Amino acid sequence: MRILFKNVHAADPLQGLDCVTNIITENGVIAYIGSEEKPADRVIDGGGRLIAVPGLFDMHVHFRDPGQTQKEDIITGAAAAKAGGFTGVACMPNTKPPIDSPELVKYVFDKAEETGIRVIPYACVTKGMEGKELCDYEKLKKAGIVAISDDGRPVKNAELMRRAIEMTNQNGLIVTSHCEDLDIINGGIINRGEVSEKLGVRGMDRASEDSITAREITLAASCGARVHICHVSTYGSVDIIRAAKRDGIRVTCETAPHYFTYTDDKLLARDADYRMSPPLRTEKDRKAVEEALLDGTIDCIITDHAPHTAEDKSDFETAPNGVVGLETSLAVTLTRLYHTGKMSLAKLVEVMSVNPRKILGLPLAEIKVGSEADLCIFDPDLEWTVIPEKLHSRSKNSVFKGERLKGRNLYTVCRGKIVYELDPKGE
Ligand SMILES: [Zn+2]
Ligand SMILES: [Zn+2]
């Protein structure tokens, strides 16, 4: 099957590509890039307006499979990813049971095969995510994992974490850390501050995040190893990471669109769909996160796609943390950062496609002749409203519900196949 993407604005900073051109894919690879219009089995006309970038990659999602497939499974999670323009995701191991053995890693890889995109499981730092005994990283690496994490249930024992960072590094893996001191959290459900006081609910003090961010960086520095900090949400963590990078410590980090878009004012509605961990914080934090993303302190945008059923989210105070995000990430980034002139297209590709793959040591998606055809083709100007019921994810707990966004993924191409296309009715 030969597909001609005609008159698309191709943007791939690694190839120095930023122009309107024709791209032909055939037999799974990019066969031609240039001005000629060659015959093809299918022609998609970009009208000089549609933008083609290397397929997006989200290095932090939760697909709840095995164990909680009423919230999401690998197939529905991948459907959400494809709709969002992602050709690859790395999913966190806090499933039931947690991914801590080669057998469970194989379960994810096997089920992912039919999705048409790359779904790569993380494995746990500690067996059963119990924070007691380290997993066998060598065996897990052989099973195909590229990173480990106890996301959702942080490792409390610092010495255990230090050994994990050191041993994963020796095995060519990386630890990604959910920085949260649960003793400081102490039952808190939203950011600790004016809003938590107004609502009369227990707050999550920012020190819970900052102290563990500092701890992980200190531990990584002590053994000269790499570490990756998950979902940065505070100005304090931003400052700590910026200083560490300046000092040459091998730290990378990520944030999610909700942290550079919203503040804890959203919680005044007492709607659990706005609750996640770490929580939405203040304008000072939001601004710091946005600045850090633009100046390179924050390396990538992730979604922390965390599906929960409407029933799970029905009670504001007792609902579990987490929001879905795969289907809105690109559109929110375009709306908030690209269309406002703050972020270039090249930078967007860097934080949503290049850097996450680099951090995990995965092959990059590239727009060049001979490369596997791995693309996200979007309309930067298409305006749409986020209607949760229309999302592909099995769960609808979107923090962007009702939001009017500008820019939308139209085609996701993975291994040369169109694995998703937006239907003409926009659904
Ligand atoms: Zn987390
Ligand atoms: Zn997470």
Side-chain angles (χ1 to χ4, degrees):
M1 172 102 170
R2 234 171 119 82
I3 311 170
L4 166 64
F5 297 93
K6 186 178 145 184
N7 283 326
V8 289
H9 176 174
D12 182 352
L14 293 182
Q15 307 305 317
L17 195 62
D18 189 12
C19 61
V20 174
T21 189
N22 299 322
I23 300 173
I24 293 174
T25 66
E26 190 170 23
N27 299 326
V29 299
I30 295 177
Y32 173 81
I33 303 171
S35 55
E36 272 180 61
E37 235 178 76
K38 302 183 179 188
D41 303 307
R42 182 165 180 202
V43 179
I44 289 167
D45 193 343
R49 190 183 79 259
L50 301 191
I51 297 178
V53 296
L56 308 181
F57 193 96
D58 189 339
M59 65 176 286
H60 187 152
V61 303
H62 298 264
F63 281 178
R64 312 294 189 205
D65 188 355
Q68 291 183 301
T69 50
Q70 76 282 8
K71 296 176 193 260
E72 192 82 289
D73 63 32
I74 290 166
I75 308 301
T76 57
K82 289 184 274 191
F86 294 89
T87 54
V89 295
C91 41
M92 285 298 175
N94 61 335
T95 48
K96 289 189 177 170
I99 310 292
D100 62 0
S101 69
E103 293 72 31
L104 285 160
V105 170
K106 187 174 181 308
Y107 166 82
V108 178
F109 276 128
D110 285 351
K111 194 159 176 186
E113 245 169 54
E114 63 183 280
T115 64
I117 59 167
R118 289 185 176 81
V119 178
I120 298 167
Y122 278 82
C124 304
V125 177
T126 59
K127 286 186 185 158
M129 287 187 84
E130 286 175 355
K132 290 179 188 151
E133 197 184 336
L134 298 181
C135 292
D136 186 333
Y137 303 139
E138 207 178 320
K139 267 195 193 152
L140 290 164
K141 163 116 186 186
K142 276 195 193 122
I145 66 140
V146 293
I148 65 159
S149 188
D150 272 5
D151 184 55
R153 207 194 291 174
V155 179
K156 193 172 175 181
N157 182 320
E159 171 54 12
L160 202 61
M161 189 55 149
R162 195 191 62 76
R163 274 172 44 217
I165 292 172
E166 193 168 34
M167 284 171 66
T168 47
N169 209 70
Q170 285 162 359
N171 283 289
L173 302 167
I174 186 167
V175 175
T176 80
S177 174
H178 171 117
C179 296
E180 191 178 37
D181 183 320
L182 294 177
D183 294 323
I184 297 177
I185 294 284
N186 191 20
I189 59 165
I190 65 170
N191 181 55
R192 183 173 170 213
E194 273 174 41
V195 175
S196 66
E197 267 167 41
K198 204 177 275 181
L199 294 179
V201 297
R202 198 182 278 276
M204 301 155 109
D205 195 284
R206 61 187 55 254
S208 60
E209 177 171 340
D210 299 351
S211 59
I212 303 294
T213 300
R215 183 192 84 168
E216 310 305 44
I217 288 172
T218 310
L219 298 175
S222 84
C223 49
R226 293 198 303 146
V227 73
H228 179 84
I229 306 296
C230 291
H231 39 52
V232 174
S233 78
T234 64
Y235 63 83
S237 282
V238 162
D239 286 346
I240 292 164
I241 293 164
R242 191 178 281 125
K245 284 191 164 188
R246 206 169 42 221
D247 292 345
I249 297 170
R250 299 164 72 202
V251 57
T252 51
C253 66
E254 57 182 43
T255 194
H258 40 270
Y259 299 120
F260 61 76
T261 303
Y262 293 141
T263 66
D264 59 355
D265 279 0
K266 282 277 175 196
L267 276 312
L268 290 168
R270 294 186 70 96
D271 179 346
D273 282 351
Y274 296 98
R275 278 193 39 221
M276 73 290 290
S277 174
L280 297 174
R281 301 200 190 262
T282 65
E283 177 59 15
K284 185 174 176 184
D285 297 290
R286 190 207 64 74
K287 208 159 164 267
V289 166
E290 182 182 288
E291 279 168 11
L293 190 56
L294 299 174
D295 76 14
T297 301
I298 294 179
D299 302 89
C300 44
I301 294 176
I302 52 94
T303 64
D304 198 1
H305 180 85
H308 291 294
T309 64
E311 198 190 338
D312 294 334
K313 283 288 197 181
S314 59
D315 183 79
F316 176 61
E317 296 196 22
T318 60
N321 291 313
V323 295
V324 294
L326 282 164
E327 294 170 74
T328 47
S329 185
L330 173 66
V332 173
T333 305
L334 288 168
T335 306
R336 299 285 306 192
L337 303 178
Y338 173 74
H339 285 302
T340 52
K342 293 174 182 171
M343 182 180 273
S344 68
L345 208 47
K347 181 75 179 172
L348 184 145
V349 172
E350 199 182 294
V351 296
M352 296 193 77
S353 176
V354 179
N355 289 351
R357 286 184 172 93
K358 268 193 188 164
I359 290 165
L360 297 179
L362 297 168
L364 301 181
E366 294 172 303
I367 307 184
K368 81 173 182 210
V369 173
S371 279
E372 201 170 76
D374 189 330
L375 302 163
C376 158
I377 295 160
F378 62 92
D379 182 339
D381 300 318
L382 182 62
E383 293 193 32
W384 61 293
T385 302
V386 181
I387 300 167
E389 294 68 37
K390 291 188 176 176
L391 296 176
H392 293 73
S393 174
R394 185 164 287 150
S395 290
K396 313 299 177 189
N397 51 314
S398 170
V399 74
F400 297 104
K401 56 185 170 184
E403 198 73 65
R404 188 89 181 144
L405 299 174
K406 187 175 181 185
R408 192 162 190 184
N409 178 48
L410 301 186
Y411 303 94
T412 307
V413 181
C414 191
R415 300 183 184 104
K417 283 205 180 93
I418 296 177
V419 292
Y420 168 84
E421 63 182 289
L422 184 71
D423 86 20
K425 283 184 293 184
E427 284 166 14

